[in-house]
């Protein structure tokens, strides 16, 4: 029988017993009570008896043991009392079973909600998609789609798999996978993520990942593993739980002895104290404290695009002091852009520069060409293009010689630089400055810089507010590094670090306090692994599963703040749950044993059973509240 | 006389509890059946895990078949943290868990509330 139905069955049979307990007259008196209690004991309580017996055969004991022993003692005593004309306590055993069934039913409801995260993620998966076969759209189950298949997606449809847009454009709601609330524009060449929803246009994409390789499948796997992991703090509960139930049974015997043998209490009074001790103890509250909070915390994270990989990560995040950021691509966009044009004719300046750079493969060339495009400047044809290593490029633009490069190039050509003052000012801001000249005359300066991400300063400020110390590690020169750090509000900067030395720098910081390292998960793997907590920023459909204790699906710096807040809150909740479960048992057992009878504090065994039932529910509810806390 | 009997009874009961629950002998480890490509072992879940200690060969994929005969909520989940597995066990239905025991060592699996545990020995 389902727990809910069994509870209702027992409740109906127990209510007359309660009526009798409150002074009401039942037809048949104690014999009617015996019949009702027997039904409750052997129908409602059978699951506890069977489970307790199974555990006993394995020389183990659990909550079922406590329920079975507690209710059986009260019931059997009452049967004996019925035969010998003594006072019966049938309502105690029946109320206990009813209350505990109520607790189990509530626990099933709440636990079900706590473990919904994986099911919700699985529900996101698309079942079928429209695949282009010989130019015609054909509906196919998703598991039959192969890498390279072209899939058509209409407005409102779910994108079946990860892929790359090949035709059309649209905006896509990716919130269910990445946590990004604003729809993302998708043009040809853009990456689309399976299980996200197409909002506006019809487009086609080529499947690039199927089956277990998709982002959603990776997230499900990662969350599943996190929920199966253990938090080191749980060891405390595990140690207690293996000794808990037998110890409670011994305490109950001692309680009986003290009351009956030492304090001269009556047999039923001593028995009721012992029963109360057995049924108030709740090992489940201790057992549920960590896994339920871990489940809710990691589930909440998955919804936000924050993948916490294990319970250990939560503990590591709880006392972090330094948050070290990789600069390029993490704090900054990772892509240089033109920030300043200095010169009298800026249109001419950018056109000449773009024309020269159009043939160049220099990393900064793209930024200049993009700027020219933004200003709607077409490039001009150049001839005799020549790269001067370490200095710049020179070419003929029509009849004139034109060039773009640094001071050394200008010096070689014997050209004066009238904008020296402006150039120094830009360089002090950490920008790379190029001089453009034509026909022996400087046209102007172009400054290029990798800019901080729009929310970098806000994220850093939030970390400072949390009492953390943000710092930056970069391979860039000190001037550039400090300029970026100043823009985002970071005071600690370690610059000119070779890629292989980042992990060493992390180790150096660890000597001063616990360190979280935030990087891109691919280039920064050693530093991520060397930190107390590695936070890998994601991009596109790749999540760096191996690197980092926390993986962020979105490339959003504010998720670093959210991830740390969520980890801290989840760990704090685990500690609160364990504290409550411990205090409940530590305080509840002496009260039930009658230690505080002198000050009028006693517990009826039925109420003790209700407390036991509700203590588990309260722990699960406490964990569920994590899902509503502000992150 | 009655009091002495009750006292003696209590002492015997406490002694029995200590002996039964705390002086439990370690179960013998049971080898999984292997055909070289896959190793399989059946684990009955009823008041505990039988066998409680299982031996797997390193590097050979393993199939653990859990049969939950115990409807107690204590056993509704089984967790193998070292293998990233957490599963709900249906009552009276075989439930297969596939793991890859690549690293030698002793690993524990537990019920969802960590009250009951078993051991996987990979060698």
């Amino acid at each position: 029988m389902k727990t809910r139905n069994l509870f209702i069955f027992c409740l109906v049979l127990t209510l007359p017993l309660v009526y009798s307990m409150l002074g009401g007259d039942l037809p048949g008196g104690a014999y009617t009570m015996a019949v009702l209690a027997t039904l409750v004991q052997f129908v409602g309580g059978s699951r506890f008896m069977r489970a307790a017996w199974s555990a006993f055969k394995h020389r183990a004991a659990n909550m079922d043991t406590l329920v079975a022993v507690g209710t059986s003692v009260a019931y059997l005593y009452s049967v004996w009392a019925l035969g010998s004309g003594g006072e019966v306590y049938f309502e105690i055993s029946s109320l206990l079973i009813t209350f505990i069934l109520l607790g189990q039913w509530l626990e099933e409801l709440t636990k079900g909600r706590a473990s919904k995260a994986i099911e919700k993620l699985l529900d996101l998966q698309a079942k079928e998609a429209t695949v282009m076969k010989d130019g015609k759209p054909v509906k196919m189950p998703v598991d039959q789609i192969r890498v390279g298949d072209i899939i058509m997606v209409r407005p409102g449809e779910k994108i079946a798999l990860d892929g790359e847009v090949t035709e059309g454009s649209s905006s896509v709601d990716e919130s269910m996978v990445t946590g990004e609330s604003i729809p993302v524009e998708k043009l040809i060449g853009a990456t689309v993520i399976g299980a996200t929803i197409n909002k506006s246009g019809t487009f086609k994409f080529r499947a690039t990942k199927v089956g277990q390789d998709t982002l959603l499948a990776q997230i499900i796997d990662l969350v599943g593993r996190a929920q199966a992991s253990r938090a080191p703090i749980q060891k405390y509960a595990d140690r207690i739980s293996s000794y808990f139930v037998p110890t409670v049974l011994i305490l109950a015997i001692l309680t009986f002895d003290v009351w009956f043998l030492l304090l001269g209490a009556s047999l039923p009074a001593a028995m009721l104290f012992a029963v109360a001790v057995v049924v108030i103890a709740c090992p489940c509250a201790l057992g549920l404290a960590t896994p339920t909070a871990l489940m809710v915390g990691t589930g909440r994270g998955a919804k936000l695009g924050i993948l916490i990989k294990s319970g250990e990560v939560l503990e590591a995040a709880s006392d972090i002091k330094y948050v070290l950021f990789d600069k390029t691509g993490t704090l900054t966009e990772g892509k240089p852009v033109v920030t300043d044009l200095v010169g009298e004719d800026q249109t001419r300046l950018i056109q000449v520069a773009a024309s020269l750079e159009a043939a160049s493969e220099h990393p900064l060339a793209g930024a200049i060409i993009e700027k020219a495009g933004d200003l709607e400047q077409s490039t001009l044809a150049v001839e005799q293009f020549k790269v001067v290593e370490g200095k710049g490029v020179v070419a003929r633009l029509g009849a004139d010689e034109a060039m773009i490069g640094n001071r050394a190039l200008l010096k070689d050509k014997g050209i004066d630089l009238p904008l020296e003052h402006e150039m120094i000012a830009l360089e002090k801001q950490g920008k790379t400055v190029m001089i453009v000249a034509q026909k022996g005359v400087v046209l102007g300066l172009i400054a290029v810089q990798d800019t901080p991400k729009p929310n970098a300063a806000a994220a850093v400020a939030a970390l400072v507010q949390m009492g953390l110390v943000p710092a930056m590690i970069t391979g860039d020169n000190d001037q550039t590094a400090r300029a970026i750090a100043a823009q985002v509000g970071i005071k600690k900067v370690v610059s000119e670090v070779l890629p292989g030395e980042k992990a060493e720098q992390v180790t150096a910081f660890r000597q001063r306090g616990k360190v979280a390292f935030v990087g891109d998960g691919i280039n920064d793997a050693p530093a991520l692994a060397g930190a107390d907590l590695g936070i890998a920023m994601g991009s596109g459909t790749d999540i760096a599963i191996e690197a980092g204790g926390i993986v962020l699906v979105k490339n959003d710096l504010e998720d670093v703040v959210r991830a740390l807040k969520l980890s801290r809150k989840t760990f704090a909740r685990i500690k609160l749950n364990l504290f409550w479960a411990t205090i409940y048992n530590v305080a509840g057992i002496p009260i039930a044993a009658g230690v505080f009878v002198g000050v009028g504090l006693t517990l009826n065994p039925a109420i003790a059973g209700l407390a036991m039932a509700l203590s588990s529910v309260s722990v699960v509810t406490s964990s569920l509240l994590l899902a509503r806390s502000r992150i | 006389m009655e009091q002495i009997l009750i006292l003696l009874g209590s002492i015997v009961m406490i002694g029995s509890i200590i002996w039964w629950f705390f002086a439990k002998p370690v179960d013998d480890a049971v080898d999984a059946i292997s055909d070289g490509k896959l190793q399989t072992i059946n684990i009955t879940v009823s008041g505990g895990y039988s066998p409680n200690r299982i031996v797997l060969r390193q590097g050979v994929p393993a199939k653990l078949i859990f049969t939950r005969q115990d409807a107690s909520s204590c056993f509704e989940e089984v967790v193998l943290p070292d293998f990233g597995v957490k599963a709900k066990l249906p009552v009276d239905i075989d439930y297969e868990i596939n793991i890859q025991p690549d690293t030698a060592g002793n690993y524990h699996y537990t019920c969802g509330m960590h009250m009951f545990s078993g051991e996987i020995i990979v060698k």
Side-chain angles (χ1 to χ4, degrees):
Chain A
M1 206 187 294
K2 279 187 172 175
T3 308
R4 186 187 75 117
N5 297 344
L6 202 56
F7 160 68
I8 293 169
F9 171 80
C10 291
L11 181 67
V12 169
L13 295 177
T14 303
L15 284 175
L17 297 171
V18 175
Y19 171 68
S20 170
M21 185 180 81
L22 296 173
D25 276 334
L26 273 187
Y31 290 100
T32 304
M33 291 173 75
V35 171
L36 294 172
T38 302
L39 284 169
V40 173
Q41 187 72 23
F42 291 101
V43 179
S46 64
R47 58 165 64 182
F48 304 115
M49 311 291 169
R50 278 200 307 270
W53 178 242
S54 295
F56 182 79
K57 284 190 291 184
H58 282 82
R59 302 180 77 157
N62 59 0
M63 196 204 78
D64 295 310
T65 312
L66 296 176
V67 178
V69 169
T71 58
S72 297
V73 168
Y75 173 78
L76 291 173
Y77 173 82
S78 299
V79 170
W80 175 75
L82 185 67
S84 59
E87 194 179 350
V88 296
Y89 294 93
F90 285 119
E91 76 281 1
I92 298 286
S93 59
S94 297
L95 267 174
L96 273 174
I97 288 172
T98 307
F99 282 150
I100 287 158
L101 285 170
L102 169 67
Q104 280 198 346
W105 176 40
L106 293 176
E107 194 183 310
E108 281 171 16
L109 291 176
T110 48
K111 257 168 77 181
R113 282 175 57 198
S115 61
K116 279 273 185 284
I118 297 270
E119 287 166 39
K120 281 185 181 164
L121 287 169
L122 286 169
D123 283 347
L124 288 177
Q125 284 173 334
K127 309 285 178 289
E128 57 177 19
T130 308
V131 182
M132 300 307 292
K133 292 278 176 195
D134 302 323
K136 288 180 187 159
V138 180
K139 286 265 183 206
M140 275 176 71
V142 164
D143 54 12
Q144 289 180 16
I145 299 172
R146 301 284 169 260
V147 170
D149 283 351
I150 301 291
I151 298 162
M152 184 168 77
V153 194
R154 297 186 182 89
E157 282 184 350
K158 192 175 267 188
I159 297 168
L161 297 155
D162 297 350
E164 196 179 299
V165 177
T166 55
E167 199 181 318
S169 63
S170 185
S171 68
V172 173
D173 177 3
E174 295 185 339
S175 60
M176 58 294 293
V177 178
T178 67
E180 173 60 65
S181 55
I182 301 164
V184 184
E185 290 301 316
K186 300 289 179 186
L187 304 172
I188 290 174
T191 302
V192 289
I193 301 169
T196 58
I197 305 283
N198 179 25
K199 301 281 283 184
S200 49
T202 298
F203 69 92
K204 290 176 188 166
F205 73 94
R206 181 187 300 108
T208 54
K209 285 179 181 171
V210 297
Q212 291 307 304
D213 295 332
T214 63
L215 177 66
L216 183 65
Q218 291 179 68
I219 291 174
I220 290 170
D221 181 61
L222 200 143
V223 175
R225 284 176 179 274
Q227 297 194 341
S229 72
R230 33 172 181 230
I233 195 172
Q234 193 174 336
K235 279 183 193 154
Y236 145 81
D238 291 353
R239 255 199 313 271
I240 293 177
S241 61
S242 53
Y243 297 102
F244 188 87
V245 174
T247 305
V248 169
L249 293 175
I250 291 170
L251 286 175
I253 293 169
L254 292 175
T255 300
F256 177 85
D257 287 349
V258 168
W259 278 106
F260 188 66
L261 301 177
L262 287 181
L263 302 175
S266 67
L267 180 66
M271 182 269 298
L272 289 179
F273 279 122
V275 168
V277 167
V278 170
V279 297
I280 201 166
C282 189
C284 291
L286 277 167
L288 289 166
T290 307
T292 52
L294 190 63
M295 245 186 312
V296 176
T298 51
R300 172 96 191 264
K303 233 172 151 182
L304 295 168
I306 297 164
L307 308 177
I308 298 166
K309 280 169 69 176
S310 71
E312 285 178 18
V313 170
L314 298 173
E315 290 206 36
S318 64
D319 53 355
I320 290 291
K321 184 177 178 191
Y322 295 102
V323 182
L324 308 190
F325 288 93
D326 167 53
K327 184 184 87 66
T328 309
T330 303
L331 275 175
T332 67
E333 298 284 6
K335 193 180 128 195
V337 291
V338 172
T339 55
D340 302 86
L341 297 174
V342 182
E344 282 180 18
D345 185 352
Q346 293 187 358
T347 309
R348 180 75 187 149
L349 172 70
I350 194 71
Q351 189 180 38
V352 171
S355 304
L356 291 165
E357 294 286 20
S360 166
E361 290 175 355
H362 194 273
L364 300 179
I368 292 172
I369 293 162
E370 201 177 302
K371 183 71 178 176
D374 291 347
L375 297 173
E376 296 176 350
Q377 291 299 311
S378 55
T379 54
L380 306 169
V382 297
E383 292 172 343
Q384 298 174 30
F385 178 84
K386 198 175 128 196
V387 176
V388 185
E389 201 63 49
K391 295 178 182 173
V393 295
V394 182
R396 292 207 80 79
L397 197 62
D400 308 323
E401 186 184 60
M403 67 194 72
I404 180 166
N406 55 19
R407 287 187 183 86
L409 181 67
L410 235 67
K411 199 176 169 189
D412 287 355
K413 297 288 178 185
I415 302 172
D416 289 332
L417 177 60
L419 300 169
E420 184 67 39
H421 180 70
E422 288 84 349
M423 187 162 178
I424 291 168
L426 289 168
E427 283 173 335
K428 276 188 178 164
Q429 293 170 34
K431 295 171 180 171
T432 305
V433 186
M434 288 166 284
I435 309 156
V436 184
Q438 189 181 14
K439 234 162 89 177
V441 177
V442 170
L443 294 177
L445 308 174
I446 297 180
V448 173
Q449 192 180 39
D450 184 10
T451 53
K453 286 180 180 168
N455 56 2
V460 169
L463 292 174
V464 172
Q465 207 171 25
M466 286 168 70
L468 299 165
V469 182
M472 188 171 91
I473 297 186
T474 178
D476 278 358
N477 67 64
D478 198 52
Q479 204 171 44
T480 305
R482 288 194 184 279
I484 293 285
Q487 286 179 51
V488 299
I490 288 180
K491 294 190 176 112
K492 282 189 183 292
V493 178
V494 186
S495 56
E496 294 168 36
V497 177
L498 295 172
E501 290 173 358
K502 276 188 192 168
E504 287 170 32
Q505 289 298 331
V506 168
T507 308
F509 266 93
R510 285 184 71 187
Q511 286 167 358
R512 287 175 270 168
K514 285 203 172 177
V515 171
F517 183 85
V518 187
D520 69 9
I522 299 157
N523 303 319
D524 299 322
L528 285 165
D532 296 289
L533 170 65
I535 302 178
M537 305 272 294
S539 58
T541 57
D542 284 314
I543 51 173
I545 295 288
E546 295 308 322
I550 294 179
V551 179
L552 306 179
V553 179
K554 292 196 297 290
N555 201 341
D556 182 348
L557 276 171
E558 286 189 271
D559 276 354
V560 173
V561 182
R562 290 188 198 104
L564 287 170
K565 278 188 182 168
L566 178 64
S567 302
R568 283 177 162 197
K569 285 200 171 179
T570 306
F571 187 61
R573 187 63 55 157
I574 289 173
K575 285 202 287 191
L576 177 73
N577 286 352
L578 285 172
F579 176 76
W580 158 242
T582 308
I583 286 295
Y584 165 80
N585 281 297
V586 166
I589 291 173
I591 293 171
V595 171
F596 302 106
V597 164
V599 292
L601 187 57
T602 56
L603 267 183
N604 177 299
I607 302 300
L610 181 65
M612 179 223 228
L614 295 182
S615 68
S616 295
V617 178
S618 66
V619 164
V620 181
T621 307
S622 158
S623 295
L624 277 172
L625 288 175
L626 255 181
R628 292 172 177 271
S629 63
R630 276 191 68 195
I631 300 294
Chain B
M1 186 60 189
E2 183 193 56
Q3 291 192 331
I4 292 170
L5 282 176
I6 286 176
L7 185 63
L8 282 175
S10 297
I11 292 168
V12 169
M13 281 167 73
I14 290 171
S16 302
I17 289 170
I18 292 170
W19 169 71
W20 188 254
F21 293 112
F22 297 151
K24 191 177 155 185
V26 177
D27 292 345
D28 289 336
V30 177
D31 289 350
I33 298 164
S34 175
D35 62 5
K37 289 179 186 162
L38 180 71
Q39 46 189 336
T40 309
I41 190 153
N42 291 285
I43 299 168
T44 304
V45 184
S46 176
Y49 299 103
S50 303
N52 186 253
R53 300 172 71 230
I54 60 173
V55 181
L56 301 179
R57 276 179 54 200
Q58 185 182 355
V60 180
K63 186 195 286 181
L64 314 181
I65 305 169
F66 286 87
T67 309
R68 179 181 164 205
Q69 295 172 350
D70 194 329
S72 168
S73 60
C74 290
F75 291 103
E76 68 185 8
E77 281 180 341
V78 65
V79 187
L80 290 79
D82 300 296
F83 298 95
V85 176
K86 181 176 193 170
K88 278 202 167 176
L89 300 178
V91 180
D92 291 331
I93 296 171
D94 289 353
Y95 188 90
E96 293 178 9
I97 292 177
N98 293 293
I99 59 171
Q100 184 63 39
D102 282 334
T103 311
N106 291 25
Y107 304 95
H108 284 91
Y109 62 96
T110 68
C111 66
M113 286 188 266
H114 297 238
M115 296 275 297
F116 293 92
S117 65
E119 190 178 14
I120 299 171
I121 302 154
V122 179
K123 56 184 181 185

